[in-house]
Structures are given as structure tokens and as C-alpha cells.
């Protein structure tokens, strides 16, 4: 699936979409246990985001980095990255849903529910965050 997405972006390049693809690659590498590739993709996401001035790209890189750190057993590092993500999203006023999502990976669903009650989840907070929490349990 990754190759057709990249081929399409080569035909009609969009730098913001490239940042999103790169961050998705970092998540895929983290879930697959390819730590070196995950770290490279996270760093690549940040470089691309900086290169085009897309601050939201750092949110995506933070999410991937938290997942990688949780899967790697580095909960303290994951919490530090979550704090950076939390501060950034509060400043920007957008994408605040990522903070409870990554919190569900680090500290569980209950902590995620308590962290950011303002998010309106489609299936309700417990169900939605429960699905997100399963992402970090796959490796």
C-alpha cells in the first residue's frame, strides 16, 4: 500500500501530504519492530515539516515517537514527548485529540479519559480510546 501512495504523490506532489506519509511510515516501522527505520522516519518527518514550515508535522512526529518509545519500553521518554505534544497543541489550539490518544498508550484508558475531556469522540471516549490503546498492544 505504501508504494502506490508514494507513486501518487510523485505525480502530484504536496509537501504536507509527504509529511503525513512519512509519519505514517514511522508508525508502520515502529509497529513492525524496525526500530532503526522508525527513528529515521520520525527524524525525516521533522525535517520535512521544518523544511516546509508545517508545524503540525511535529505533532505527527511526536505521536509516532511516543508510540515508538512505548513499544520500546521507554515510558519516561514517551511522557516527555507527550508533554511537548501537549504544550504544542495547546498553543496552536488544534489536534488536541492526539494527547489523550498517546496517553492511552502510556498510562491507559482511564488516564486518557481524565487528561482531555473536551474531545468529542464519535463512539464515546471509552470506546474510541479503547481502540486507540490497542495500537500499542500489538507488538
Amino acid at each position: 500500500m505504501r508504494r502506490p501512495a508514494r507513486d501518487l504523490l510523485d505525480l502530484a506532489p504536496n509537501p504536507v501530504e509527504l509529511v503525513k506519509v512519512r509519519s505514517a511510515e514511522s508508525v508502520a516501522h515502529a509497529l513492525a519492530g524496525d526500530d532503526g527505520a522508525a527513528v529515521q522516519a520520525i527524524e525525516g518527518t521533522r525535517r520535512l515539516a521544518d523544511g516546509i514550515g508545517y508545524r503540525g508535522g511535529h505533532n505527527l512526529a511526536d505521536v509516532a515517537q511516543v508510540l515508538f518509545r512505548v513499544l520500546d519500553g521507554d515510558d519516561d521518554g514517551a511522557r516527555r514527548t507527550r508533554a511537548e505534544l501537549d504544550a504544542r497543541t495547546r498553543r496552536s489550539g488544534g489536534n488536541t485529540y492526539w494527547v489523550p490518544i498517546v496517553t492511552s498508550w502510556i498510562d491507559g484508558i482511564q488516564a486518557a479519559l481524565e487528561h482531555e475531556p473536551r474531545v468529542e469522540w464519535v463512539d464515546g471516549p471509552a470506546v474510541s480510546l479503547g481502540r486507540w490503546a490497542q495500537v500499542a498492544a500489538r507488538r
Side-chain angles (χ1 to χ4, degrees):
M1 185 67 175
R2 177 174 75 115
R3 189 74 249 155
R6 285 290 194 132
D7 292 343
L8 180 59
L9 281 172
D10 287 343
L11 292 173
N14 178 326
V16 171
E17 295 305 317
L18 287 171
V19 170
K20 292 176 183 178
V21 166
R22 192 68 176 146
S23 68
E25 290 172 349
S26 61
V27 167
H29 291 306
L31 288 172
D34 190 346
D35 294 355
V39 169
Q40 286 181 339
I42 292 165
E43 292 169 355
T45 300
R46 293 189 192 286
R47 279 191 306 275
L48 284 169
D50 286 341
I52 63 170
Y54 176 45
R55 294 181 312 181
H58 283 280
N59 296 346
L60 298 173
D62 285 347
V63 170
Q65 188 166 0
V66 168
L67 179 61
F68 169 73
R69 287 181 167 167
V70 166
L71 293 174
D72 204 39
D74 181 8
D75 288 349
D76 290 339
R79 285 185 182 95
R80 284 190 303 275
T81 303
R82 179 189 56 200
E84 294 166 13
L85 172 65
D86 192 17
R88 188 179 306 107
T89 58
R90 287 180 191 277
R91 279 192 309 270
S92 71
N95 299 328
T96 57
Y97 50 86
W98 284 119
V99 176
I101 289 169
V102 301
T103 299
S104 76
W105 298 338
I106 303 166
D107 297 317
I109 299 166
Q110 188 57 44
L113 290 170
E114 295 167 4
H115 184 78
E116 188 63 59
R118 300 179 312 158
V119 177
E120 294 181 30
W121 301 99
V122 173
D123 294 335
V127 172
S128 294
L129 288 169
R131 277 196 308 271
W132 276 106
Q134 290 303 306
V135 171
R138 291 187 181 175
R139 185 164 155 192

